[in-house]
Amino acid sequence: MMKRLRYALLAVFALFSIAAWALDIDEAKSAGLVGETLSGYLAALSDSPTPEVKALVDDVNARRKQQYSEIASKRDIPLSAVEKLAAKKAYEKTAPGHYLKNESGEWIKK
């Protein structure tokens, strides 16, 4: 019984430790690791992002795509139209000092 409790406590502590080290989108943007693209999705600035940055980008983009798909379905419009509008809004909301990918595919600092 005590052995199981110890393992359970270790598992809980491990989860909290991982969460404490997890990178969030604002930190990643502020650090210049990720930026907004014209496609309505987040991208890593580096061609070889760390596994943590890649996981963040993949997670954020999966959630965005799900939201965009729901909006497109509800309004009976193409997904690409929702993505384009979302990109426009993201560009407008991007804080100074954060990165945006321009039409030439270059990263620029707002």
Side-chain angles (χ1 to χ4, degrees):
M1 178 80 164
M2 287 298 283
K3 199 173 198 178
R4 285 187 190 175
L5 181 58
R6 280 188 203 154
Y7 287 128
L9 287 173
L10 283 173
V12 169
F13 288 130
L15 286 174
F16 283 120
S17 297
I18 291 168
W21 287 100
L23 186 66
D24 76 23
I25 190 169
D26 292 328
E27 292 170 340
K29 284 183 174 184
S30 294
L33 300 173
V34 299
E36 295 292 341
T37 68
L38 290 169
S39 65
Y41 297 97
L42 196 64
L45 271 69
S46 168
D47 290 334
S48 302
T50 65
E52 187 176 25
V53 171
K54 184 175 178 351
L56 172 71
V57 169
D58 291 348
D59 179 58
V60 168
N61 288 341
R63 287 186 283 128
R64 285 183 180 185
K65 186 162 190 165
Q66 182 179 5
Q67 288 179 324
Y68 300 165
S69 296
E70 289 172 9
I71 292 167
S73 179
K74 284 180 186 175
R75 300 195 181 188
D76 197 27
I77 58 175
L79 175 61
S80 60
V82 177
E83 292 168 333
K84 187 175 180 179
L85 180 59
K88 183 177 186 266
K89 288 183 178 186
Y91 270 52
E92 291 169 359
K93 289 182 175 183
T94 295
H98 291 184
Y99 286 88
L100 303 165
K101 195 172 238 185
N102 65 19
E103 292 176 1
S104 302
E106 299 170 322
W107 288 108
I108 56 170
K109 198 180 244 189
K110 185 172 181 185

